Amino acid sequence: MQKTFGQQLNRLMADHFVGRTFEMGVFREFLERMEERPERILNVFGTAGMGKTYLLDRFAAITREFDRVPIRIHMGEAMNDPRFITQMIVQCIGD
């Protein structure tokens, strides 16, 4: 079966995702032990260009493997509107 361009691109990106073994392992463990933990929010921050968005894309893919819904909120966008977070959660759950 021939893969779509998007599938091929995702595979290529996954094959070249290096240097984050520790973070990926910690995140998988976080999801595996979700029922035992009260935490539900993961805060990722850092200097521009270090790969945060790419890491979050990988985290979202892993989250879907666990049949959970990843919700990504850029807090800079939510600072002036307290309803923004709720709206984003509802939007993501509805997808």
Side-chain angles (χ1 to χ4, degrees):
M1 179 175 173
Q2 190 168 358
K3 294 182 179 181
T4 67
F5 178 73
Q7 290 170 326
Q8 292 174 4
L9 184 59
N10 286 339
R11 184 66 206 161
L12 180 65
M13 289 172 60
D15 288 346
H16 290 88
F17 185 71
V18 297
R20 297 290 190 152
T21 304
F22 174 77
E23 290 90 341
M24 302 298 279
V26 168
F27 188 70
R28 281 188 182 278
E29 183 179 334
F30 174 80
L31 291 175
E32 289 167 356
R33 300 182 63 207
M34 182 73 75
E35 303 304 323
E36 305 168 20
R37 305 178 64 111
E39 300 94 350
R40 294 293 184 265
I41 297 173
L42 175 66
N43 184 25
V44 176
F45 64 95
T47 307
M50 65 186 305
K52 296 178 300 296
T53 300
Y54 196 67
L55 180 64
L56 288 171
D57 289 343
R58 298 300 304 143
F59 283 176
I62 293 169
T63 301
R64 289 185 201 95
E65 290 174 16
F66 281 80
D67 292 323
R68 301 198 186 273
V69 178
I71 299 173
R72 185 182 306 184
I73 299 172
H74 187 279
M75 294 307 292
E77 298 171 5
M79 297 301 283
N80 296 320
D81 185 359
R83 297 168 296 171
F84 183 81
I85 294 174
T86 304
Q87 291 168 348
M88 290 301 297
I89 292 170
V90 169
Q91 180 182 347
C92 290
I93 292 174
D95 287 350

